[in-house]
Coordinates of all heavy atoms in Angstrom, one line a residue:
I1 N -6.3 -1.8 17.2 CA -5.0 -2.2 17.6 C -4.7 -3.6 17.2 O -5.5 -4.5 17.5 CB -4.9 -2.1 19.2 CG1 -5.2 -0.6 19.6 CG2 -3.6 -2.5 19.7 CD1 -5.3 -0.5 21.1
F2 N -3.6 -3.9 16.6 CA -3.2 -5.2 16.2 C -2.1 -5.7 17.1 O -1.2 -5.0 17.4 CB -2.7 -5.2 14.7 CG -3.7 -5.1 13.7 CD1 -4.2 -3.9 13.3 CD2 -4.3 -6.2 13.1 CE1 -5.2 -3.8 12.4 CE2 -5.2 -6.1 12.2 CZ -5.7 -4.9 11.8
L3 N -2.2 -6.9 17.6 CA -1.2 -7.5 18.4 C -0.9 -8.9 17.8 O -1.8 -9.7 17.5 CB -1.8 -7.7 19.8 CG -2.2 -6.4 20.5 CD1 -3.2 -6.7 21.6 CD2 -0.9 -5.8 21.1
F4 N 0.4 -9.1 17.6 CA 0.8 -10.3 17.0 C 1.6 -11.2 18.0 O 2.3 -10.7 18.8 CB 1.8 -10.0 15.8 CG 1.2 -9.5 14.6 CD1 0.8 -8.2 14.6 CD2 0.9 -10.3 13.5 CE1 0.2 -7.7 13.4 CE2 0.4 -9.8 12.4 CZ 0.0 -8.5 12.3
I5 N 1.4 -12.5 17.8 CA 2.2 -13.4 18.6 C 3.0 -14.3 17.7 O 2.4 -14.9 16.8 CB 1.2 -14.4 19.4 CG1 0.3 -13.6 20.3 CG2 2.1 -15.4 20.3 CD1 -0.8 -14.4 20.8
F6 N 4.3 -14.3 17.9 CA 5.1 -15.1 17.0 C 5.7 -16.2 17.8 O 6.1 -16.1 18.9 CB 6.3 -14.2 16.4 CG 5.8 -13.3 15.4 CD1 5.3 -12.1 15.7 CD2 5.8 -13.7 14.1 CE1 4.8 -11.2 14.7 CE2 5.4 -12.8 13.1 CZ 4.8 -11.6 13.4
S7 N 5.7 -17.4 17.2 CA 6.2 -18.6 17.9 C 7.3 -19.2 17.0 O 7.1 -19.4 15.8 CB 5.1 -19.6 18.0 OG 5.6 -20.8 18.5
F8 N 8.4 -19.4 17.6 CA 9.5 -20.1 16.9 C 9.7 -21.5 17.4 O 10.6 -22.2 17.1 CB 10.8 -19.2 17.1 CG 10.7 -17.9 16.4 CD1 10.2 -16.8 17.0 CD2 11.0 -17.8 15.1 CE1 10.1 -15.6 16.4 CE2 10.9 -16.6 14.4 CZ 10.5 -15.5 15.1
G9 N 8.7 -21.9 18.2 CA 8.7 -23.3 18.7 C 7.5 -24.1 18.3 O 6.9 -23.7 17.3
H10 N 7.2 -25.1 18.9 CA 6.1 -26.0 18.5 C 4.9 -25.9 19.5 O 4.0 -26.7 19.4 CB 6.6 -27.4 18.4 CG 7.7 -27.6 17.4 ND1 7.4 -27.6 16.0 CD2 9.0 -27.8 17.5 CE1 8.5 -27.8 15.4 NE2 9.5 -27.9 16.2
T11 N 5.0 -24.9 20.4 CA 3.9 -24.9 21.4 C 2.7 -24.1 21.0 O 1.6 -24.2 21.6 CB 4.5 -24.2 22.7 OG1 4.9 -22.9 22.4 CG2 5.6 -25.0 23.3
L12 N 2.7 -23.4 19.9 CA 1.6 -22.6 19.5 C 0.5 -23.5 18.9 O 0.8 -24.2 18.0 CB 2.1 -21.5 18.5 CG 1.1 -20.5 18.1 CD1 0.7 -19.6 19.3 CD2 1.7 -19.6 17.0
L13 N -0.7 -23.3 19.3 CA -1.8 -24.1 18.8 C -2.5 -23.4 17.6 O -3.6 -23.1 17.7 CB -2.8 -24.4 19.9 CG -2.3 -25.1 21.2 CD1 -3.3 -25.1 22.3 CD2 -2.0 -26.5 20.8
A14 N -1.7 -23.2 16.6 CA -2.2 -22.5 15.4 C -3.0 -23.4 14.5 O -2.7 -24.6 14.4 CB -1.1 -21.9 14.6
K15 N -4.1 -22.8 14.0 CA -4.9 -23.6 13.0 C -4.4 -23.3 11.6 O -4.5 -24.2 10.8 CB -6.4 -23.1 13.1 CG -7.0 -23.4 14.4 CD -8.4 -22.8 14.5 CE -9.0 -23.0 15.9 NZ -10.3 -22.4 16.0
A16 N -3.8 -22.1 11.4 CA -3.3 -21.7 10.1 C -1.9 -22.4 9.9 O -1.2 -22.6 10.9 CB -3.2 -20.2 10.0
P17 N -1.6 -22.6 8.6 CA -0.2 -23.2 8.4 C 0.9 -22.2 8.8 O 0.6 -21.0 8.7 CB -0.2 -23.4 6.9 CG -1.3 -22.6 6.3 CD -2.3 -22.4 7.4
P18 N 2.0 -22.7 9.1 CA 3.1 -21.7 9.5 C 3.7 -21.0 8.4 O 3.6 -21.4 7.2 CB 4.2 -22.7 10.2 CG 3.9 -24.0 9.5 CD 2.4 -24.0 9.2
V19 N 4.4 -19.9 8.6 CA 5.2 -19.2 7.7 C 6.6 -19.8 7.8 O 7.2 -19.7 8.9 CB 5.2 -17.7 7.9 CG1 6.1 -17.0 7.0 CG2 3.8 -17.1 7.9
T20 N 7.1 -20.3 6.7 CA 8.4 -20.9 6.8 C 9.4 -20.0 6.0 O 9.3 -19.9 4.8 CB 8.5 -22.3 6.2 OG1 7.5 -23.1 7.0 CG2 9.8 -23.0 6.3
L21 N 10.3 -19.4 6.7 CA 11.3 -18.5 6.1 C 12.4 -19.3 5.5 O 12.9 -20.3 6.1 CB 11.8 -17.6 7.2 CG 10.8 -16.8 8.0 CD1 11.5 -15.9 9.1 CD2 9.9 -15.9 7.1
N22 N 12.9 -18.9 4.3 CA 14.0 -19.6 3.7 C 14.9 -18.6 3.0 O 14.6 -17.4 3.0 CB 13.5 -20.7 2.7 CG 12.7 -20.1 1.6 OD1 13.2 -19.2 0.8 ND2 11.5 -20.5 1.4
D23 N 16.1 -19.0 2.5 CA 17.1 -18.1 1.9 C 16.7 -17.7 0.5 O 17.3 -16.8 0.0 CB 18.5 -18.7 2.0 CG 19.0 -18.9 3.4 OD1 18.8 -18.0 4.2 OD2 19.7 -19.9 3.6
Q24 N 15.7 -18.3 -0.1 CA 15.4 -18.0 -1.5 C 14.3 -16.9 -1.6 O 14.0 -16.3 -2.6 CB 14.9 -19.2 -2.2 CG 16.0 -20.3 -2.5 CD 16.4 -21.0 -1.2 OE1 15.5 -21.4 -0.4 NE2 17.6 -21.3 -1.1
T25 N 13.6 -16.6 -0.5 CA 12.4 -15.7 -0.5 C 12.7 -14.5 0.4 O 13.1 -14.7 1.5 CB 11.1 -16.4 -0.1 OG1 11.0 -17.7 -0.8 CG2 9.9 -15.6 -0.3
E26 N 12.4 -13.3 -0.2 CA 12.7 -12.1 0.6 C 11.4 -11.5 1.1 O 11.4 -10.7 2.1 CB 13.4 -11.0 -0.3 CG 14.8 -11.4 -0.6 CD 15.5 -10.3 -1.4 OE1 15.0 -9.2 -1.4 OE2 16.6 -10.6 -1.9
H27 N 10.2 -11.8 0.5 CA 9.0 -11.2 1.0 C 7.9 -12.3 1.1 O 7.8 -13.1 0.2 CB 8.5 -10.2 -0.1 CG 7.2 -9.5 0.2 ND1 6.0 -9.9 -0.2 CD2 6.9 -8.4 1.0 CE1 5.1 -9.2 0.2 NE2 5.6 -8.3 1.0
Y28 N 7.2 -12.2 2.2 CA 6.1 -13.2 2.5 C 4.8 -12.5 2.7 O 4.8 -11.6 3.5 CB 6.5 -14.1 3.7 CG 7.7 -14.9 3.5 CD1 9.0 -14.3 3.8 CD2 7.7 -16.2 3.1 CE1 10.1 -15.1 3.7 CE2 8.8 -16.9 3.0 CZ 10.1 -16.4 3.2 OH 11.2 -17.1 3.1
K29 N 3.8 -12.9 2.1 CA 2.4 -12.5 2.4 C 1.9 -13.5 3.4 O 1.9 -14.7 3.1 CB 1.5 -12.4 1.2 CG 1.4 -11.1 0.6 CD 0.4 -11.1 -0.6 CE -0.9 -10.7 0.0 NZ -1.7 -9.7 -0.6
I30 N 1.4 -13.0 4.5 CA 0.9 -14.0 5.6 C -0.6 -14.0 5.7 O -1.1 -14.5 6.7 CB 1.6 -13.7 6.9 CG1 1.1 -12.3 7.5 CG2 3.1 -13.7 6.9 CD1 1.4 -12.1 8.9
D31 N -1.3 -13.5 4.7 CA -2.8 -13.4 4.8 C -3.4 -14.7 5.1 O -4.4 -14.8 5.8 CB -3.3 -12.9 3.4 CG -3.0 -11.4 3.2 OD1 -2.5 -10.8 4.1 OD2 -3.0 -11.0 2.0
L32 N -2.9 -15.8 4.6 CA -3.5 -17.1 4.8 C -2.8 -17.9 5.9 O -3.0 -19.1 6.1 CB -3.6 -18.0 3.5 CG -4.5 -17.3 2.5 CD1 -4.4 -18.1 1.2 CD2 -5.9 -17.2 2.9
N33 N -1.9 -17.2 6.6 CA -1.1 -17.9 7.6 C -1.3 -17.4 9.1 O -0.4 -17.5 9.9 CB 0.4 -17.7 7.3 CG 0.8 -18.4 6.0 OD1 0.7 -17.7 5.0 ND2 1.1 -19.6 6.0
F34 N -2.5 -16.8 9.3 CA -2.7 -16.4 10.7 C -4.1 -16.8 11.2 O -5.0 -17.0 10.4 CB -2.5 -14.9 10.8 CG -3.5 -14.0 10.1 CD1 -4.7 -13.7 10.7 CD2 -3.1 -13.4 8.9 CE1 -5.6 -12.9 10.1 CE2 -4.0 -12.6 8.3 CZ -5.3 -12.3 8.9
D35 N -4.2 -16.9 12.5 CA -5.4 -17.1 13.2 C -5.7 -15.7 13.9 O -4.8 -15.0 14.2 CB -5.3 -18.1 14.3 CG -4.9 -19.5 13.7 OD1 -5.2 -19.8 12.6 OD2 -4.3 -20.3 14.5
Y36 N -7.0 -15.4 14.1 CA -7.3 -14.2 14.8 C -8.4 -14.3 15.8 O -9.2 -15.3 15.8 CB -7.7 -13.1 13.8 CG -8.9 -13.3 13.1 CD1 -10.2 -12.8 13.6 CD2 -9.0 -14.1 11.9 CE1 -11.4 -13.1 12.9 CE2 -10.2 -14.4 11.3 CZ -11.3 -13.9 11.8 OH -12.5 -14.1 11.1
L37 N -8.4 -13.4 16.8 CA -9.3 -13.4 17.8 C -9.7 -11.9 18.1 O -8.9 -11.1 18.2 CB -8.7 -14.0 19.1 CG -9.6 -13.8 20.4 CD1 -10.8 -14.7 20.3 CD2 -8.8 -14.1 21.6
E38 N -11.0 -11.6 18.0 CA -11.5 -10.3 18.3 C -11.8 -10.1 19.7 O -12.5 -11.0 20.3 CB -12.8 -10.0 17.5 CG -13.2 -8.6 17.7 CD -14.4 -8.2 16.8 OE1 -15.0 -9.0 16.1 OE2 -14.8 -7.0 16.9
D39 N -11.3 -9.1 20.3 CA -11.5 -8.8 21.7 C -12.2 -7.4 21.8 O -11.6 -6.4 21.8 CB -10.2 -8.7 22.5 CG -10.3 -8.2 23.9 OD1 -11.5 -8.1 24.4 OD2 -9.3 -7.8 24.5
P40 N -13.6 -7.5 21.8 CA -14.4 -6.2 21.8 C -14.2 -5.4 23.0 O -14.3 -4.2 23.0 CB -15.8 -6.7 21.6 CG -15.8 -8.1 21.7 CD -14.4 -8.6 21.7
T41 N -13.8 -6.0 24.1 CA -13.6 -5.3 25.4 C -12.2 -4.6 25.4 O -12.0 -3.6 26.1 CB -13.7 -6.2 26.6 OG1 -12.5 -7.1 26.6 CG2 -14.9 -7.0 26.6
G42 N -11.2 -5.1 24.7 CA -9.9 -4.6 24.7 C -9.2 -4.9 26.0 O -8.1 -4.3 26.3
L43 N -9.7 -5.8 26.8 CA -9.2 -6.1 28.2 C -8.3 -7.3 28.2 O -7.6 -7.5 29.3 CB -10.3 -6.2 29.2 CG -11.2 -5.0 29.3 CD1 -12.3 -5.3 30.3 CD2 -10.3 -3.8 29.9
L44 N -8.3 -8.2 27.2 CA -7.5 -9.4 27.3 C -6.0 -9.1 27.3 O -5.6 -8.1 26.6 CB -7.8 -10.3 26.1 CG -9.2 -10.9 26.1 CD1 -9.5 -11.7 24.8 CD2 -9.4 -11.8 27.3
T45 N -5.2 -9.9 28.0 CA -3.8 -9.7 28.0 C -3.1 -10.9 27.3 O -3.8 -11.9 27.0 CB -3.3 -9.7 29.4 OG1 -3.5 -11.0 30.0 CG2 -3.9 -8.6 30.3
I46 N -1.8 -10.8 27.1 CA -1.1 -11.9 26.5 C -1.2 -13.2 27.3 O -1.4 -14.3 26.8 CB 0.4 -11.5 26.2 CG1 1.1 -12.6 25.4 CG2 1.1 -11.3 27.5 CD1 0.7 -12.7 24.0
E47 N -1.2 -13.0 28.6 CA -1.4 -14.2 29.5 C -2.8 -14.8 29.3 O -3.0 -16.0 29.3 CB -1.2 -13.8 31.0 CG 0.3 -13.5 31.3 CD 0.7 -12.1 30.9 OE1 -0.1 -11.3 30.6 OE2 1.9 -11.9 30.8

């Protein structure tokens, strides 16, 4: 199960660089623009 958190503000403590959307680009690969956390229990919540 994949869960994504998107931040449009400055509060996210991301280690990866942000994805910056602009009017010249229609498709973005985000492979190098995300941080991940494995939850083997599946019990963690967004909070």
